[in-house]
Amino acid sequence: MSANGNAAIYFVDRHLAEGRSAKTAFIQGGRSLTYGQLAEQTGRLPDLYAKIGIVQEDRVAMIVHDVIEFPVIFWGSIKAGVIPVAINTLLTTDQYRYILNDSRAKILFISEAMVETVQPILHTLTHLRAVFVVGGENPIGVPFDQALAAAIAGPMAEVSPGDTAFWLYSSGSTGMPKGVRHVHEALRATSDTYGAEVLGIRESDTIFSAAKLFFAYGLGNGMTFPMAVGATTVLMPGRPTPESVFEQMQAHRPSIYCGVPTLFGAMLAHVGDGPVPGVDRLRISISAGEALPEEIGKRWTRLTGTHILDGVGSTEMLHIFLSNAPGSVEYGTSGVAVPGYELRLVDTDGSEVAHDEIGELLVSGISSSDGYWNQREKNRATFEGRWTRTGDKYTRRPDGRYIYCGRTDDMFKVSGQWVSPFEVEQALIAHPSVLEAAVVPALDEERLEKPKAFVIPSDASAGIDDEALKEHVKDAVGAHKYPRWIEVVDDLPKTATGKIQRFKLRA
């Protein structure tokens, strides 16, 4: 066989040969894990699996919070040639039943705090052989720390770069999640492109990602990018709120922070006119999940003196492929193609659209998924040779910068002209009385579609002046795009990644 293509060689074991054995790889609360400890502990997973008859290419499920055991299980499984399936820790019992049966996982690693959610369906999981409990004891399974301590160093699996390494499940914003398969070489592809050439991460960095490791975005932020250069990652197992995020930032003073637009907005609302705590060593932030509203980016820069790199990625492409870059940030745009990726904008017939015309974004790059698991029709609709359909609508300016318009399913026409919900939402958020907004089509008395806005006020006690807000939007984006109806709400339906679920508002 040719040289082993196992991704764990590059991301884990290489650091020992390069002298980073004592360097801290992960910090979580009062706990830490060095690169040397990570290499030693991940080396025990092949033996742990062999003892219970788990073999190469079997799937193991991870419902694990962002704790230092997560990288041990993930990279240890990859060393064994066993496929870790990282699963969202914010799902329902029924969703876990679906994913665990769909993936046919033979082992479940689960954080002790998640046991109560999953325990009722364990008897229905016909493929499951064993459960390992992370961070505590529970009668449903074996404590992971005990099982790991009883294992010895085992051999690393020989694989090709194109072998399946791990799965992620898509966020399932419009249905049950889809199993997205990724290969070994995709991990390094993202760190060699976005991580190195856009983010410019270096060994001296401390990175903190509020987006969790079970997301493609968080996986790159918290593992792939820092582990490519020997940097340090701060892990936070709890839910990211402005309070909890700022607590971590004050404690660890990261040089890189990774968030999502709704969280950036909430953090800015939390600090008001500043100061922003924990940013004295911050040199850059990144945002993905949804397009970053221009006003949020500008305000962050004004208060912190640093930029947010707004980018676009997907579970199917593993990380960001379209982005702003240091020295080339223009809020309100998604930037340009990340080096190593190609982009196209096409109409409904598949033909390239002209500059400033709306088209669907297609992307090509080495980090593309090997396809969905057990989803033949969705594979045919999403993957077209080397091109992947994103489902996002964009325009491209003559200078090559891309402007986000909305999800294909969210766009609608008013008076024969396309309306981008995101464009109207940006105009609404730019008004000081609005914290968050979502726009969907609704039918007027003549059964014609017009924009309707759902808004969260910046100050609940002050309320919203509907007419002033409508005039503000007319001035910002045009008379035909203003919301005919404005409904004040306490919250907006979102996926676990922070994407607004507009289909629920349409309903």
Side-chain angles (χ1 to χ4, degrees):
M1 179 180 268
S2 59
N4 193 350
N6 196 307
I9 296 171
Y10 178 76
F11 286 99
V12 181
D13 289 4
R14 171 177 62 93
H15 297 295
L16 276 63
E18 295 181 1
R20 297 187 196 92
S21 181
K23 175 79 188 289
T24 299
F26 295 94
I27 298 169
Q28 176 235 320
R31 311 166 72 205
S32 64
L33 189 72
T34 66
Y35 279 97
Q37 291 168 330
L38 179 64
E40 191 275 331
Q41 292 181 27
T42 53
R44 294 170 178 254
L45 265 291
D47 180 61
L48 186 153
Y49 287 138
K51 286 177 178 176
I52 52 178
I54 300 302
V55 299
Q56 193 163 336
E57 298 185 3
D58 279 345
R59 269 91 65 190
V60 298
M62 297 176 61
I63 306 176
V64 179
H65 289 128
D66 279 23
V67 291
I68 57 177
E69 288 85 359
F70 190 112
V72 172
I73 297 165
F74 184 87
W75 292 105
S77 300
I78 286 177
K79 278 188 175 182
V82 171
I83 299 169
V85 181
I87 303 173
N88 191 330
T89 58
L90 301 171
L91 301 181
T92 65
T93 302
D94 281 343
Q95 287 172 316
Y96 287 128
R97 177 194 287 113
Y98 171 80
I99 291 173
L100 292 167
N101 278 322
D102 181 64
S103 65
R104 301 172 196 162
K106 293 184 177 178
I107 302 292
L108 171 61
F109 296 94
I110 184 166
S111 287
E112 203 281 330
M114 296 300 304
V115 168
E116 184 178 349
T117 305
V118 175
Q119 189 166 6
I121 51 103
L122 288 177
H123 69 283
T124 70
L125 307 176
T126 56
H127 299 278
L128 195 66
R129 292 187 188 175
V131 177
F132 293 98
V133 179
V134 177
E137 294 194 16
N138 194 288
I140 72 159
V142 178
F144 172 64
D145 58 351
Q146 292 181 21
L148 189 68
I152 61 173
M156 186 178 295
E158 292 269 348
V159 301
S160 76
D163 277 341
T164 299
F166 66 101
W167 294 9
L168 300 171
Y169 269 79
S170 68
S171 56
S173 59
T174 56
M176 279 298 184
K178 302 179 289 292
V180 182
R181 299 174 293 144
H182 279 290
V183 301
H184 284 261
E185 67 180 355
L187 287 158
R188 185 165 177 182
T190 60
S191 65
D192 283 351
T193 54
Y194 182 85
E197 299 197 45
V198 177
L199 186 59
I201 190 168
R202 43 193 185 240
E203 185 176 348
S204 58
D205 278 318
T206 297
I207 190 165
F208 171 45
S209 175
K212 301 300 184 179
L213 295 173
F214 55 73
F215 299 131
Y217 174 51
L219 185 79
N221 302 340
M223 288 206 299
T224 315
F225 301 159
M227 292 178 70
V229 296
T232 298
T233 297
V234 175
L235 297 177
M236 182 180 75
R239 179 170 166 262
T241 63
E243 294 85 355
S244 65
V245 168
F246 281 132
E247 182 180 327
Q248 293 294 320
M249 293 180 75
Q250 284 183 288
H252 302 290
R253 299 162 60 224
S255 54
I256 300 174
Y257 169 64
C258 316
V260 296
T262 52
L263 183 56
F264 277 111
M267 291 168 69
L268 289 169
H270 184 76
V271 299
D273 294 327
V276 182
V279 298
D280 58 302
R281 293 198 306 198
L282 190 69
R283 64 181 182 85
I284 205 79
S285 298
I286 61 176
S287 178
E290 275 207 314
L292 182 75
E294 182 176 358
E295 182 61 28
I296 289 176
K298 288 180 174 178
R299 187 153 174 249
W300 181 267
T301 296
R302 191 162 63 246
L303 290 180
T304 69
T306 64
H307 282 109
I308 300 173
L309 305 183
D310 184 28
V312 180
S314 68
T315 308
E316 290 78 4
M317 295 303 296
L318 192 53
H319 211 272
I320 292 171
F321 51 80
L322 167 62
S323 184
N324 287 267
S328 180
V329 172
E330 187 176 335
Y331 292 126
T333 81
S334 297
V336 300
V338 169
Y341 293 89
E342 296 176 67
L343 302 175
R344 295 169 59 206
L345 283 183
V346 301
D347 60 20
T348 53
D349 297 323
S351 301
E352 298 268 357
V353 301
H355 289 310
D356 296 323
E357 288 187 7
I358 294 174
E360 182 181 352
L361 184 68
L362 275 63
V363 56
S364 173
I366 196 171
S367 66
S368 175
S369 166
D370 207 30
Y372 300 128
W373 167 254
N374 203 20
Q375 297 272 356
R376 178 172 165 79
E377 286 306 310
K378 289 179 179 175
N379 274 324
R380 289 157 64 95
T382 301
F383 303 104
E384 300 178 358
R386 66 188 183 92
W387 295 96
T388 299
R389 287 188 171 269
T390 66
D392 289 319
K393 294 281 194 182
Y394 271 86
T395 60
R396 183 181 56 246
R397 296 191 324 208
D399 65 0
R401 296 187 85 90
Y402 286 75
I403 313 294
Y404 180 67
C405 297
R407 294 290 295 171
T408 300
D409 294 343
D410 291 333
M411 299 285 291
F412 59 97
K413 284 188 173 182
V414 175
S415 303
Q417 299 181 64
W418 281 112
V419 169
S420 159
F422 179 71
E423 182 184 26
V424 183
E425 289 160 6
Q426 279 208 107
L428 289 163
I429 292 168
H431 194 276
S433 69
V434 177
L435 176 63
E436 288 186 60
V439 171
V440 299
L443 297 177
D444 66 12
E445 62 277 3
E446 296 176 340
R447 308 294 295 171
L448 297 173
E449 286 190 331
K450 298 291 190 296
K452 177 177 180 177
F454 295 83
V455 301
I456 300 175
S458 299
D459 181 353
S461 62
I464 294 288
D465 182 335
D466 285 18
E467 293 309 313
L469 198 52
K470 290 176 182 179
E471 290 302 317
H472 168 79
V473 175
K474 286 180 187 178
D475 291 342
V477 296
H480 73 287
K481 298 178 183 178
Y482 82 95
R484 296 345 186 239
W485 309 272
I486 296 176
E487 184 173 329
V488 174
V489 295
D490 295 326
D491 201 5
L492 295 172
K494 298 184 182 107
T495 68
T497 54
K499 296 177 183 177
I500 295 171
Q501 293 175 306
R502 293 177 185 83
F503 74 96
K504 290 187 176 179
L505 297 173
R506 288 197 299 268

